Amino acid sequence: MALPQAEQSSRELLSIGQVLELLRDDFSDLTPSKLRFLEEQGLVTPSRTKSGYRKFAQSHVERLRMILELQREHYLPLKVIAEVLEEVDAGRDPVIPGAAPRSVSSILTPHRLLSGQELCRITGASNRFLGEAVAAGLMPAVEVFPREAAAQLTSLLHLAEQGITPQHLRALRVAAEREAELIAHAVASRGIKTSTPQGLEDSLELAAHLETVRSGVLRRRFGAA
C-alpha cells in the first residue's frame, strides 16, 4: 500500500508538537530532534510555513509510524528503510527485509482513537470549544474520536481566532450534507452502493472534484484567479 506524500490543505496540517502527541503513546522515546533527524535523512518531508515552521499532513504521520515501526520492531537501518519507502512510494507493498514473508502494510499500527480530553490536549482547544463544534455538527458526537479529528479541530480553532466560530459554520455543514446527498445519488444512479469499497472510492473522487470547483469559486471571489 502506498503512503503518498501529497500535501493536504493548510487547514488540515499538524504542527510538530501535535505529531508528537499522536505518536508518543506508541513511541515513547520520540522527540522533536529525532523527527528533525528523519527529515534531514530525507525519509519524511513536511511542508513549511512562510515563517519556517514544519507542518505535517496525515500521510506524513503514517509514514513516520511506518519508519519508527521498522526501526523498533525489525531493526532496519535507515538506508534500508529508505529503500523500503521507495517501494511504497512506487505503489508497491514490499516484503520487510530479513523478516518472514510479511509485507509492510501488515505492520502498520491500527489507527488509535482519541478521547475528548486527549483531543483537546493535542489541539489546545477547551472542552467548551469542542462542545460547540459538536453542537454545530462540525465534529462527531462520539465518546472517542479518530486521530484525523485533531486536524479538523485545529482548523476550527484557527477559524475561530479570525472570528469565524463554529456557530457561523452551521451553513457550511448543511451545504456539505447536501453535497453528500448529491454524490450518493450520482453513485447510486450507476448501480453502485455507497457502502461498498467501490462506492466509497467513487464518492471520495466526486468529493475531490467538488472541492476543486469550490476552491476555484472562492479564488475568483477574492481575485486570486
Side-chain angles (χ1 to χ4, degrees), residues 149-197:
Q152 188 175 357
L153 189 58
T154 297
S155 296
L156 289 171
L157 282 169
H158 288 322
L159 289 169
E161 289 171 358
Q162 301 301 318
I164 305 175
T165 68
Q167 289 85 349
H168 293 135
L169 296 174
R170 289 179 185 271
L172 181 149
R173 185 209 72 204
V174 172
E177 290 173 349
R178 289 175 178 169
E179 288 181 3
E181 292 176 0
L182 180 65
I183 290 171
H185 178 74
V187 172
S189 69
R190 291 185 282 123
I192 302 174
K193 294 182 178 180
T194 55
S195 58
T196 64

Side-chain angles (χ1 to χ4, degrees), residues 114-133:
L114 300 171
S115 67
Q117 184 176 3
E118 289 175 314
L119 184 60
C120 288
R121 186 180 73 248
I122 290 171
T123 61
S126 66
N127 289 325
R128 178 179 179 179
F129 186 85
L130 175 58
E132 291 174 352

